[in-house]
Every structure is written in structure tokens, then in C-alpha cells.
């Protein structure tokens, strides 16, 4: 997804996403590394930006992964 396809007001940095989700910026970068969150394609310009909707989905996916992992260990 490119910047021209979305409203710039829906974009946040990793730090802003972390504040919104109540996690650390490191957690947001981890979601990116694991493929749960994909930044908007800005080429090589500026910091990585994320759609708020995608950040929310990544947090939910991360929680599901943790819950699944925890239930597997308990069994």
C-alpha cells in the first residue's frame, strides 16, 4: 500500500503506535519483523509509518499467538 492510497491522518510512527496500543516501540518493530505489521511504502523517505488499523490488527494477532503458545505449554 502506498501513501497516495490512504489518508495521511491514519498514519503513525512506531512510537505513536506503541503509545496507542500500550506497548513499547520495540514491540511494534517486533511485529514488523515477524510480518504481523507492514509499514506503508514511502520509498526511502523518513521513518516507517503504519496505518492505525494495521497496528490494531497486529496487536490482536500478537495476543492470539501468545495465547496459543501459552495454552500449548500448559497442555
Amino acid at each position: 500500500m502506498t501513501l497516495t492510497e490512504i489518508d495521511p491522518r491514519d498514519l503513525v510512527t512506531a512510537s505513536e503506535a506503541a503509545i496507542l496500543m500500550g506497548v513499547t516501540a520495540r514491540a511494534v518493530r517486533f511485529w514488523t519483523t515477524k510480518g504481523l505489521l507492514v509499514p506503508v511504502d514511502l520509498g526511502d523517505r523518513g521513518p516507517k509509518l503504519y496505518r492505525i488499523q494495521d497496528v490494531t490488527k497486529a496487536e490482536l494477532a500478537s495476543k492470539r499467538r501468545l495465547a496459543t503458545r501459552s495454552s500449548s505449554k500448559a497442555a
Side-chain angles (χ1 to χ4, degrees):
M1 181 164 301
T2 63
L3 188 57
T4 58
E5 297 171 2
I6 59 175
D7 187 339
R9 294 173 293 188
D10 293 334
L11 298 175
V12 292
T13 64
S15 296
E16 293 167 334
I19 291 168
L20 288 170
M21 295 298 115
V23 299
T24 64
R26 183 177 179 178
V28 175
R29 289 189 295 274
F30 178 78
W31 297 339
T32 303
T33 301
K34 292 297 180 183
L36 299 174
L37 183 59
V38 178
V40 174
D41 182 12
L42 298 176
D44 292 335
R45 303 182 318 219
K48 291 181 180 176
L49 296 176
Y50 304 93
R51 288 182 349 147
I52 295 170
Q53 177 182 356
D54 294 340
V55 173
T56 303
K57 288 179 183 178
E59 183 204 21
L60 292 173
S62 179
K63 285 182 178 180
R64 278 191 224 115
R65 288 177 67 180
L66 286 174
T68 301
R69 194 176 311 153
S70 295
S71 65
S72 296
K73 288 182 181 180

